[in-house]
Amino acid sequence: MAKFDLTAKYCQYLDRHLTFPLLEFLLPKNVFDPTSLLRFILETVKKTNMVDYTRDIRERLAEEIMAPEELSLLRANVLVTLKELQADVAPLMKCMEELKNPDTLKDSKSVIHALQQTLDYDIIQSAQKLAKYLYECGNYNDSLSYLYICMLVMEPNDKNYLGVLWGKLAVEILTLNWQTALEDLTRLRDFIENYNFSPIQVLQQRTWLIHWGVLVFFNHSKGRDLIIDMFLYKPQYLNAIQTMCPHILRYLATAVIINRGRRNALKDVIKVIQQESYTYRDPITEFLEHLYVNFDFEGARKKLHECQTVIMNDFFIIGCLDEFIENARLMIFETFCRIHQCITIGMLADRLNMKPDEAECWIVNLIRNARLDAKIDSKLGHVVMGTQPLSPYQQLVEKIDSLSVRSEALTLLVERKHKAKTQEAGEGHWKYY
């Protein structure tokens, strides 16, 4: 499994606090040596102020545990710094207390205006430092309070505003507030697209956002649609995936497979998988290639078995295991049925990695739930397929999606060319003078 594990690649684009859940998840999986993983966690946690977590990792390593005096000294140093930072933001907290009356709180704009008029910029910087320090201590909820104030008071053109946006998103993820995390992800994406970054900087920002986005999308109820919309149908983010992180195709492919309502995205994601197959392959992307490009049902069956192992050892998509297997089997079945009108249950069971009795029950449930136009001949052990023409509505939806993607790509191309011409004209003007 080590060759399919993406943790090492993924951690390059995460804040160190976000890496701890991934590494802890891997420990009991025995994909890597647990002692080596614990040592890596210890080296990472030493760069934070999480004293208790450091002690816990040392105990699990059976290393020499810190002496009580050393532990007390570390805690005391952290508390001293914390008190100093809290003293710096005392005027801010006093101002917040004064604004806590019902009449003022009715209008959030008046609160923001009052804070901006009353507070010195140095106090806002101190609040950001305190939020960062609390975050490094693992006190995420208290950190969130200060980050929220900073986000309200700071202007978007402030040099520290971007850091506040990233910090708030990290805290919302770590505290499992997925709805707010999605709102922060959207806010951060809009900021990145509208800020005056250089081409390299914007590519780096998008790449980080893609990796943090996977955490949010696979934990939010609407995430399975949103990940497809952002990663597949926003050309700038698809370009970032193809350029910087093709391993994200694992999660895009998984989202398409488990999302029955987005089957129209299959053609597009398979096209991207084929384009990037020379840089990245894994059982999940190969499963789609075997099934829809090569029509190799035996290969797809073998890859489905490998997919189960990959998903069980992947922090982000382990919760989708049952849905993935169910939908992958359905995709194999649907594709097989397009080619054959009459199929033996034994053959289907073999293709789906199921026992014949189990496969028959599964097909009966499909027919009963009106998801399959077919009949079962129990005497002969056959499944006889009915005709399943593509509905005009589905054809229209697929054409509209395709046109939407092409239109967006053309718009971006026109804007890029217009911007280039404008810059050339400006350079010519200055050369003349």
Side-chain angles (χ1 to χ4, degrees), residues 25-44:
F25 170 82
L26 274 183
L27 278 170
K29 299 292 181 181
N30 293 319
V31 175
F32 301 103
D33 175 46
T35 303
S36 299
L37 269 178
L38 281 170
R39 291 192 183 282
F40 182 77
I41 294 172
L42 181 61
E43 288 303 312
T44 308

Side-chain angles (χ1 to χ4, degrees), residues 49 75-88 130 133:
N49 298 319
R75 280 206 178 113
N77 290 335
V78 169
L79 287 172
V80 167
T81 308
L82 190 59
K83 286 180 180 178
E84 289 174 356
L85 291 169
Q86 286 173 335
D88 291 340
L130 177 56
Y133 197 79

Side-chain angles (χ1 to χ4, degrees), residues 327-347:
N327 282 284
R329 282 175 173 168
L330 185 59
M331 291 164 83
I332 293 173
F333 184 72
E334 287 173 344
T335 308
F336 198 74
C337 291
R338 287 176 190 158
I339 301 170
H340 304 85
Q341 190 173 4
C342 185
I343 314 155
T344 63
I345 292 173
M347 184 186 294

